[in-house]
Amino acid sequence: MLFSEIYGSYFSVLAAVLEEAVSGTLTPERRDAIAGEKAFAESALRIVSALETGEWPLLDERLRTPVKHIPTMPLTTLQKRWMKALLSDPRIRLFEPPTTGLEDVEPLYDPDVFVYFDRYEDGDPYGDERYIRHFRTILTALREGRKLKIRFLGGKGRKHIWTCVPHRLEYSSKDDKFRLVITSFPNASYINVARITSCALLEPYTPEEHGEPVRETKTLTLELIDERNALERAMLHFSHLEKETRRLDEKRYAITLRYDRDDEIEMLIRVLSFGPMLRVTSPESFIEKIRERLKKQRSLNKEAKLFDDSQKRVSL
């Protein structure tokens, strides 16, 4: 582990409580509020109880502490190097994270040490100045609750100008692209950030005035055979989705996934990547799309074989 346990929730809460105790400003209300804000619900109860009963002898009955100095949590050189490596990722730099204190540190690794074998190669141009400018304008709109006027190219190359309410940015690791979820009345939609040609901030809006659109989800039921570590891979692969997993016997599991309707093609590719280890049991429409995709792939393979054979005959 790179980071010590002192960066966990318990230590973070206690550091904040002790900071106010050392300053002499801690009250029972502030102690409870700090625990409620920084810890999970069960942890907050545990921390407050341990401090009150003296199990953790850090505060007396009058909320005074034997600790003389405000707790600090300095980073080790290894931790700084790891953070410097993360911050060298062009996608993270889009968010302009603070880098104070890392100026004289070498990154632990370079981004090019990773080789992505399951990702499209036409990802977003994270180093392009115009892309960066548009991305940060969108971030400002999201943070300040402001509308946007966006010019962009549609999927068929048509130019569009929309005045819209931005709701959030989404990232697809498969496509290596960011897309913006918006409401442009009367419809909700998505815009790939790389397709935006200009982007301008407009007036603020209120969440009551323009709530986030309700997304249409679909349900997919799968049967998994746990061979070659398939269960662990599936749990990792679909970790971002709402799901239910049920054991059927020694090796078989039933998995129910709920996904965004607009991500259906990506779901199709992901399911197929498991080969015979994963079988779709419903819905029938998804099964039919898999059949169509496999037929298309078989046809392409035949064409490729015919082409190879013809090339061999020519060479003879």
Side-chain angles (χ1 to χ4, degrees):
M1 289 178 64
L2 287 177
F3 284 86
S4 165
E5 61 183 354
I6 66 171
Y7 294 97
S9 173
Y10 276 38
F11 283 81
S12 175
V13 173
L14 288 173
V17 169
L18 290 176
E19 181 177 346
E20 295 203 11
V22 171
S23 304
T25 58
L26 185 66
T27 63
E29 292 76 18
R30 279 295 303 155
R31 177 199 59 200
D32 297 349
I34 292 170
E37 291 168 5
K38 294 180 176 291
F40 297 112
E42 300 82 1
S43 300
L45 294 173
R46 165 71 177 141
I47 291 169
V48 171
S49 172
L51 289 173
E52 282 183 331
T53 60
E55 179 183 353
W56 296 347
L58 297 171
L59 298 173
D60 63 17
E61 300 80 10
R62 299 173 62 184
L63 299 182
R64 295 176 302 189
T65 177
V67 177
K68 300 298 181 186
H69 304 286
I70 293 175
T72 58
M73 293 187 286
L75 298 171
T76 66
T77 301
L78 179 61
Q79 290 161 355
K80 288 182 180 179
R81 292 188 63 198
W82 180 74
M83 292 178 69
K84 188 73 173 281
L86 284 183
L87 294 177
S88 64
D89 187 319
R91 295 164 298 182
I92 294 180
R93 286 206 300 270
L94 291 169
F95 295 87
E96 298 184 279
T99 58
T100 305
L102 303 177
E103 296 84 357
D104 301 325
V105 178
E106 290 293 322
L108 189 60
Y109 57 82
D110 293 324
D112 58 7
V113 300
F114 296 103
V115 177
Y116 297 95
F117 59 87
D118 59 349
R119 171 184 291 180
Y120 293 111
E121 295 182 348
D122 61 340
D124 280 359
Y126 301 115
D128 181 81
E129 289 186 6
R130 189 173 73 167
Y131 179 90
I132 294 171
R133 187 169 61 254
H134 294 160
F135 192 94
R136 290 176 179 167
T137 301
I138 291 169
L139 282 182
T140 301
L142 290 170
R143 289 165 177 163
E144 298 181 0
R146 297 172 63 176
K147 295 180 181 178
L148 287 170
K149 185 172 185 178
I150 294 177
R151 297 173 188 266
F152 66 100
L153 296 174
K156 297 181 180 178
R158 293 182 58 186
K159 296 178 181 178
H160 301 274
I161 304 176
W162 286 4
T163 297
C164 60
V165 173
H167 294 289
R168 67 176 177 280
L169 282 162
E170 292 184 345
Y171 174 73
S172 167
S173 59
K174 183 71 68 179
D175 296 330
D176 190 26
K177 296 178 187 295
F178 279 100
R179 65 182 183 183
L180 176 64
V181 182
I182 64 164
T183 302
S184 180
F185 290 96
N187 299 316
S189 189
Y190 304 90
I191 298 176
N192 287 340
V193 176
R195 291 182 180 275
I196 295 175
T197 56
S198 73
C199 183
L201 291 168
L202 297 177
E203 71 277 11
Y205 68 94
T206 62
E208 296 77 19
E209 183 185 3
H210 297 295
E212 185 169 347
V214 178
R215 308 181 70 175
E216 183 178 342
T217 59
K218 287 191 168 184
T219 301
L220 182 64
T221 305
L222 310 163
E223 185 177 309
L224 179 138
I225 301 173
D226 189 19
E227 293 180 359
R228 289 179 288 177
N229 217 21
L231 180 62
E232 182 178 335
R233 289 191 292 119
M235 292 300 102
L236 181 65
H237 215 63
F238 302 116
S239 60
H240 63 297
L241 299 175
E242 181 184 348
K243 60 182 172 298
E244 297 168 7
T245 305
R246 185 163 50 89
R247 189 174 186 177
L248 301 175
D249 58 30
E250 195 64 28
K251 282 193 173 182
R252 294 186 308 125
Y253 292 81
I255 302 175
T256 302
L257 301 173
R258 277 171 278 281
Y259 62 94
D260 193 294
R261 184 195 63 174
D262 294 323
D263 294 334
E264 185 151 271
I265 293 177
E266 185 169 331
M267 284 297 298
L268 195 66
I269 296 170
R270 288 186 171 206
V271 168
L272 285 171
S273 71
F274 282 82
M277 300 298 108
L278 204 55
R279 184 171 68 89
V280 179
T281 55
S282 72
E284 187 59 36
S285 59
F286 198 96
I287 296 172
E288 187 56 36
K289 285 178 180 172
I290 285 183
R291 289 193 185 109
E292 290 172 4
R293 201 171 186 89
L294 292 176
K295 286 177 183 175
K296 186 177 179 182
Q297 186 62 48
R298 182 189 297 173
S299 174
L300 289 172
N301 290 343
K302 283 184 178 178
E303 290 178 10
K305 187 174 184 308
L306 288 172
F307 178 78
D308 289 342
D309 292 343
S310 66
Q311 292 297 102
K312 288 177 183 175
R313 285 196 293 273
V314 168
S315 62
L316 288 173

